[in-house]
């Protein structure tokens, strides 16, 4: 009798516990269904979640307990009604709460798919769609505050909530790079490679006739409807190029940062084999060899890219930088001038061209300072002065254009000031001096 009595008590206790769990789940379901739960509702809601966390035993009960728990921030916002402030949204949507939401909601979706009972599936998808803009705004705010890793966590969680939105995974990995969390960045980039993400797309624009402002549309059909209605004009398409080059470049840079040079080279080689028509990968490989100071391989790769795209001003400019670093001045001049021909507003090309041309000034100054006061030395001095002034006059238009393009650039202005002084261009010297 004693043994039976113990068994009966245990069975009764289990039965009461299960019954309590079901009551608490019903309470949560009832409060969750309210559009604007009260403060008392939220106290009861959170107490029920806390109790279920320690008592739920069945798989379904555990899944829905976690669902209600991860949705607590949404419920808190709903309880605030229409007067919710940006600060309250920020307090509810933290990087950690969004991460927990991604885990909890995905577990619920998986369970309902497995069980065949879609209790909250549609509601979850609607919630993701409704709150995605707020979550993106949080990521932007964190990034602007230079809290890059937290911003990366937010966008990565958003990707986990909606894996069709692969752009969020790309930008989260980029944020991790900025925050120097290379392990998370590498994990994100490897996932992007696995799903063969390119990021190529087309953006659709048209100008609002009333505001005169250009507006972006979700697709061409939507834009065309506004054009036909007469409210918009000047349709324009903008191609977003492939991001594969940037992905593989960052993978290689991370591997380089981790001291894995050979793996970095292999990553680029693999990328080019898989994407032979993606010209950006040539530049990625070139950039890698530039950082390895392998200038011959770099130059070979840049020339390969130039053969495909001879009017790429950045490529030509970079060849000028390499030549200048190798003290091949005439070669550097040629590349910088070519970059300017391609892009007449290429500020750095003007500035760098001026710099390499000024390098020749040292030889004139050194020799002039060594001369004496003899007639022969005086004649030589005049020759050197004339040659020096000729060089300054050749440099002058490039420096003046650089300052015209970027009038607030101090190094450019000070260099131009020195040239004006050397050429005894007093009026221009004084005018520029006054702007410093």
């Amino acid at each position: 009798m004693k043994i039976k009595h113990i068994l009966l008590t245990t069975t009764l206790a289990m039965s009461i516990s299960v019954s309590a769990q079901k009551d608490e789940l019903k309470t949560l379901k009832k409060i969750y269904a309210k559009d604007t739960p009260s403060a008392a509702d939220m106290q009861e809601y959170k107490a029920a979640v806390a109790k279920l966390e320690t008592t739920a035993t069945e798989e379904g009960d555990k899944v829905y307990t976690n669902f209600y728990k991860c949705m607590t921030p949404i419920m808190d916002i709903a309880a605030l009604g229409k007067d919710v402030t940006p600060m309250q949204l920020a307090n509810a949507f933290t990087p950690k709460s969004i991460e927990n939401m991604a885990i909890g909601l995905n577990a619920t979706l998986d369970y309902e798919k497995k069980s065949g009972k879609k209790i909250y599936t549609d509601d979850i998808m609607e919630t993701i769609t409704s709150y995605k803009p707020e979550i993106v705004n949080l990521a932007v705010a964190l990034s602007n505050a230079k809290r890059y890793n937290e911003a990366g966590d937010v966008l990565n969680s958003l990707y986990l909530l909606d894996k069709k939105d692969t752009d969020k995974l790309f930008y989260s990995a980029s944020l991790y790079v900025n925050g120097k969390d290379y392990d998370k960045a590498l994990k994100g980039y490897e996932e992007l490679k696995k799903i063969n993400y390119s990021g190529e797309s087309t953006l659709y624009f048209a100008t609002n006739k009333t505001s005169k402002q250009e507006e972006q549309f979700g697709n061409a059909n939507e834009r065309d409807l506004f054009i036909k209605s007469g409210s918009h004009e000047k349709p324009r398409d903008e191609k977003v190029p492939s991001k594969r080059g940037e992905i593989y470049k960052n993978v290689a840079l991370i591997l380089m940062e981790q001291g894995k040079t050979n793996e970095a080279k292999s990553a680029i080689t693999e990328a080019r084999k898989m994407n032979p028509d993606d010209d950006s990968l040539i530049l990625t490989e070139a950039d890698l060899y530039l950082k390895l100071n392998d200038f011959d391989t770099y130059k070979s790769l840049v020339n390969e890219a130039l053969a495909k795209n001879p009017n790429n001003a950045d490529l030509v400019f970079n060849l000028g930088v390499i030549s200048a670093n190798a003290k091949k001045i005439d070669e550097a001049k040629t590349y910088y001038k070519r970059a300017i021909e391609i892009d007449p507003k290429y500020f750095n090309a003007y500035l760098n061209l001026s710099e390499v041309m000024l390098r020749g000034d040292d030889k004139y100054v050194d020799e002039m300072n060594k001369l004496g006061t003899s007639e022969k030395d005086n004649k030589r001095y005049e020759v050197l002065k004339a040659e020096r002034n000729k060089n300054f006059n050749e440099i002058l238009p490039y420096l003046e254009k650089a300052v015209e393009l970027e009038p607030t650039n101090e190094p450019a202005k000070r260099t131009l000031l020195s040239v004006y002084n050397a050429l005894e261009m007093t009026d221009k010297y004084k005018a520029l001096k006054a702007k410093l």
Side-chain angles (χ1 to χ4, degrees):
M1 287 296 293
K2 185 178 181 182
I3 295 174
K4 288 182 180 179
H5 177 70
I6 291 172
L7 287 173
L8 178 61
T9 303
T10 304
T11 303
L12 182 62
M14 288 178 62
S15 184
I16 292 171
S17 175
V18 170
S19 176
Q21 288 176 42
K22 298 301 181 186
D23 287 343
E24 282 150 0
L25 283 167
K26 286 179 182 177
T27 296
L28 288 169
K29 186 175 183 179
K30 181 180 178 181
I31 296 172
Y32 182 81
K34 294 184 178 183
D35 290 334
T36 310
S38 67
D41 287 333
M42 288 310 302
Q43 284 185 335
E44 188 177 5
Y45 184 95
K46 291 173 183 178
V49 167
K51 192 169 184 179
L52 278 170
E53 280 189 283
T54 59
T55 58
T57 54
E58 296 179 10
E59 181 187 7
D61 291 348
K62 289 181 177 179
V63 167
Y64 286 112
T65 296
N66 198 33
F67 166 76
Y68 290 121
K69 181 182 179 181
C70 79
M71 288 296 282
T72 300
I74 301 292
M75 295 297 292
D76 283 334
I77 292 170
L80 294 169
K82 296 180 180 179
D83 297 326
V84 61
T85 66
M87 181 63 72
Q88 289 169 326
L89 282 169
N91 289 336
F93 285 137
T94 65
K96 189 62 181 176
S97 71
I98 295 168
E99 180 184 354
N100 290 337
M101 196 182 299
I103 295 170
L105 296 188
N106 278 316
T108 307
L109 291 171
D110 290 343
Y111 178 76
E112 293 194 351
K113 184 177 181 181
K114 181 176 71 174
S115 67
K117 297 179 180 178
K118 291 187 175 182
I119 299 173
Y120 286 121
T121 294
D122 292 340
D123 185 68
I124 288 170
M125 302 313 296
E126 184 179 332
T127 298
I128 293 170
T129 301
S130 297
Y131 285 95
K132 183 182 282 190
E134 299 296 342
I135 297 173
V136 170
N137 288 341
L138 171 62
V140 171
L142 289 167
S143 178
N144 290 340
K146 297 185 179 181
R147 294 162 62 181
Y148 299 120
N149 291 330
E150 291 175 88
D153 288 341
V154 169
L155 289 187
N156 185 63
S157 296
L158 201 51
Y159 164 70
L160 294 176
L161 282 169
D162 181 8
K163 288 198 171 183
K164 292 179 181 178
D165 194 351
T166 49
D167 284 341
K168 299 299 183 292
L169 179 60
F170 171 79
Y171 289 114
S172 74
S174 300
L175 285 164
Y176 288 137
V177 170
N178 291 340
K180 300 187 186 304
D181 190 335
Y182 296 127
D183 289 337
K184 282 186 178 179
L186 200 56
K187 182 179 178 181
Y189 287 132
E190 291 300 334
E191 175 71 11
L192 289 164
K193 286 166 61 179
K194 183 178 177 181
I195 62 177
N196 200 30
Y197 171 85
S198 75
E200 287 181 277
S201 63
T202 302
L203 303 179
Y204 302 95
F205 298 91
T207 300
N208 187 310
K209 289 182 179 179
T210 303
S211 67
K212 307 300 181 185
Q213 297 294 313
E214 189 173 60
E215 298 173 354
Q216 184 177 337
F217 295 84
N219 54 60
N221 290 335
E222 181 186 353
R223 191 261 316 274
D224 292 346
L225 287 174
F226 281 84
I227 295 290
K228 288 178 181 177
S229 74
S231 65
H232 288 67
E233 61 182 354
K234 300 177 183 177
R236 178 177 70 86
D237 295 353
E238 183 178 308
K239 295 289 184 182
V240 177
S242 170
K243 296 183 178 72
R244 285 199 185 101
E246 185 176 346
I247 292 169
Y248 284 99
K249 174 182 177 179
N250 285 342
V251 168
L253 291 176
I254 290 169
L255 292 170
M256 286 281 291
E257 183 73 22
Q258 296 174 336
K260 301 173 182 177
T261 302
N262 289 332
E263 289 183 41
K265 291 179 180 179
S266 297
I268 297 298
T269 301
E270 174 198 4
R272 291 195 63 190
K273 284 181 179 178
M274 292 178 62
N275 305 279
D277 297 325
D278 193 335
D279 293 344
S280 66
L281 292 175
I282 303 176
L283 306 186
T284 300
E285 187 174 14
D287 190 64
L288 172 63
Y289 282 98
L290 176 60
K291 286 178 170 57
L292 291 170
N293 293 323
D294 185 344
F295 298 134
D296 289 338
T297 304
Y298 170 82
K299 196 169 180 179
S300 174
L301 288 164
V302 169
N303 282 322
E304 180 184 345
L306 278 175
K308 291 188 174 185
N309 189 358
N311 290 321
N312 187 317
D314 290 331
L315 284 177
V316 179
F317 173 81
N318 286 342
L319 279 175
V321 172
I322 294 301
S323 299
N325 289 341
K327 297 183 179 179
K328 298 179 179 178
I329 304 304
D330 289 338
E331 193 174 284
K333 289 180 187 177
T334 300
Y335 286 127
Y336 289 139
K337 287 178 180 179
R338 174 59 184 149
I340 290 168
E341 286 178 14
I342 298 169
D343 181 2
K345 294 184 179 181
Y346 204 137
F347 168 78
N348 285 330
Y350 287 103
L351 194 63
N352 282 27
L353 175 57
S354 302
E355 187 273 328
V356 294
M357 292 175 74
L358 277 170
R359 290 187 194 183
D361 190 53
D362 289 342
K363 67 179 182 181
Y364 297 120
V365 174
D366 289 343
E367 187 177 349
M368 289 166 80
N369 287 336
K370 291 176 183 178
L371 294 172
T373 57
S374 68
E375 185 179 350
K376 180 180 179 182
D377 285 347
N378 287 338
K379 287 181 179 180
R380 178 60 182 164
Y381 183 92
E382 291 302 321
V383 170
L384 291 172
K385 183 180 178 182
E387 290 180 0
R388 189 181 184 221
N389 286 349
K390 180 182 177 182
N391 188 45
F392 282 143
N393 280 307
E394 288 179 2
I395 295 168
L396 192 59
Y398 298 112
L399 267 177
E400 287 182 328
K401 185 64 177 180
V403 172
E404 177 190 325
L405 291 170
E406 291 197 14
T408 60
N409 188 282
E410 292 298 318
K413 287 196 290 187
R414 292 191 182 280
T415 305
L416 179 56
L417 199 66
S418 298
V419 173
Y420 281 153
N421 188 47
L423 291 173
E424 299 177 1
M425 301 175 72
T426 308
D427 291 343
K428 287 193 173 185
Y429 176 89
K430 287 181 179 179
L432 184 58
K433 180 78 172 176
K435 295 178 182 178
L436 288 174

